[in-house]
Amino acid sequence: MTKRRRFNSPTLAKMINDDHSTSDYDSSESHSGASSYQNKRKRKASTRKNNSNNSQSLLREPVQSVFSGDAYPHTSSSHVIISPGALQDTLLEWYGTVQAIRGMPWRKPYNPYLGPEERSQRAYEIWVSEIMLQQTQVTTVIPYYMRWMEMYPTVRDLATADIDEVNALWKGLGYYSRASRLLAGAQKVVANYHGMLPVNARDLEANIPGIGRYSAGAIASIAYGEHVPILDGNVHRLLSRFLAVYAPPKAKATLDILWAAAAAMVDFNESRGSLSTGSTSELLKYPGDINQALIELGSTICRVRDPSCDACPLRPWCRAYELSRPGYMPAADIEDVCSFCEPLRETNVTTFPMKMNRKKPREELDIVNVIEWTSSMGERWFLMVRRPDRGKLLSPDMLSD
């Protein structure tokens, strides 16, 4: 059943203004003096006399009692992208001006005329870059990517490597499990797919080690032109602000909203041969460009701190920016009031996404034994055992095997 709340706009404005004040007295009246004090008493007595009991009750009610704690009520439909055509055009126009600025060697214009082998090669390049970029900055990744592609230019070359070679090349990037999953994935691609990566996100995610929903969407949209969304940390933050989603950021319901919004941005209209209704731009045929533009916008403009809203191409449609403007007034007549978001008492762009309290780091005491042998010639030797593929530490039982 549709929820409907109706308020009188002048009264609503008065209530919100009252709620943001810190006392019954205006700051301009806070000077000392008996005359001032008497004037205040007269004004307050006059107000009580002229207002009816109902009016007094309404004006004394805090705003949250009317909005269920939310000073910025909104409809649930405000979290949905319905007609993305103008957004896509504007976003791609902006992306065309910044695409090459950061000099990422894996970022290339989409070519719809590539053959299957060439597309698979593009998929491999994007796969390597996406795995390296996990938890790592672009400037750090670029030289590693260049050395990697020089050593293993194709997925078949990588499949013939051993883990020691791969780890040596990966040294300094950290999170070595990423490198081992790349190697395992390449070996599976060669063994099961004739050396060619699957051409859709579903098969990539289901069958290739180390490829999750985000990486599968990035590879499939950029290399193969499949209309699938992506949602990494940058896009999560960007869409949370764009839609003003104020809810636990890792909750399933929140992620469902953001994934749906990301999917809308690469929505494809078969009858028109372009993305979304009403768009005629040839660039909009390439969902990979949309996805890369969202990543770039979140990374360089819609930053965690100090976002550059003045330079953002999506600012005219951004809900967080709208809410943060001075003098913003919530609608007085709202249907389908959103019950998903947490109550929001004040806002600016960086209010979104919702901040979560971090758990206190666990304190541990680790005891490590090192076995060393020194020869009569002064040579020092240490006993070392390779750790297992899974887990971080060996168990005592493994040393006795």
Side-chain angles (χ1 to χ4, degrees), residues 11-293:
T11 302
L12 179 62
K14 170 62 177 170
M15 292 170 61
I16 292 174
N17 289 334
D18 284 351
D19 182 70
H20 288 294
S21 65
T22 57
S23 72
D24 290 335
Y25 300 100
D26 188 270
S27 59
S28 63
E29 300 171 340
S30 61
H31 54 79
S32 60
S35 176
S36 175
Y37 177 76
Q38 293 296 332
N39 288 337
K40 291 174 189 176
R41 290 178 59 87
K42 290 178 181 179
R43 282 196 295 271
K44 292 183 70 175
S46 177
T47 299
R48 287 193 297 267
K49 182 177 180 180
N50 292 333
N51 288 334
S52 66
N53 291 334
N54 289 338
S55 297
Q56 288 181 39
S57 175
L58 180 62
L59 290 175
R60 289 178 180 178
E61 281 273 319
V63 170
Q64 56 263 37
S65 67
V66 180
F67 293 142
S68 300
D70 196 349
Y72 300 87
H74 55 278
T75 65
S76 57
S77 61
S78 65
H79 301 319
V80 178
I81 297 177
I82 299 174
S83 300
L87 303 177
Q88 294 159 343
D89 287 333
T90 304
L91 185 62
L92 283 174
E93 183 179 357
W94 171 82
Y95 181 61
T97 66
V98 301
Q99 182 176 6
I101 288 179
R102 293 202 283 171
M104 301 182 215
W106 54 85
R107 183 175 283 179
K108 302 174 183 178
Y110 179 76
N111 185 349
Y113 304 108
L114 294 180
E117 287 279 355
E118 295 169 307
R119 289 196 178 194
S120 179
Q121 177 62 23
R122 281 292 292 133
Y124 170 65
E125 295 168 2
I126 297 160
W127 178 29
V128 172
S129 70
E130 289 296 337
I131 300 302
M132 286 186 171
L133 286 166
Q134 293 173 4
Q135 306 296 321
T136 311
Q137 295 182 348
V138 169
T139 53
T140 301
V141 165
I142 289 176
Y144 280 90
Y145 175 84
M146 298 299 290
R147 289 193 293 269
W148 182 282
M149 296 307 297
E150 183 178 354
M151 179 71 73
Y152 309 119
T154 70
V155 69
R156 291 183 177 88
D157 294 318
L158 176 57
T160 62
D162 62 52
I163 189 62
D164 290 329
E165 294 174 346
V166 169
N167 282 341
L169 195 59
W170 197 270
K171 184 179 180 181
L173 270 182
Y175 300 102
Y176 284 83
S177 60
R178 295 181 294 171
S180 63
R181 285 195 294 267
L182 267 174
L183 176 59
Q187 292 169 342
K188 187 169 185 178
V189 167
V190 170
N192 297 355
Y193 296 94
H194 308 290
M196 297 178 64
L197 280 158
V199 298
N200 62 74
R202 182 182 60 187
D203 290 342
L204 284 166
E205 183 179 1
N207 300 312
I208 308 302
I211 295 183
R213 186 177 181 182
Y214 161 75
S215 297
I219 295 167
S221 65
I222 299 171
Y224 297 121
E226 185 182 7
H227 296 268
V228 287
I230 55 148
L231 190 69
D232 70 344
N234 291 313
V235 180
H236 185 294
R237 179 176 60 257
L238 171 65
L239 292 178
S240 293
R241 291 172 177 174
F242 185 79
L243 299 174
V245 176
Y246 192 70
K250 295 183 179 180
K252 182 182 183 301
T254 303
L255 294 175
D256 287 345
I257 288 175
L258 298 180
W259 273 109
M265 291 298 294
V266 292
D267 185 27
F268 187 63
N269 188 308
E270 294 288 350
S271 63
R272 288 182 174 269
S274 62
L275 286 169
S276 83
T277 303
S279 177
T280 58
S281 172
E282 288 296 318
L283 287 175
L284 292 180
K285 292 180 180 178
Y286 310 135
D289 288 341
I290 291 283
N291 284 336
Q292 291 180 97

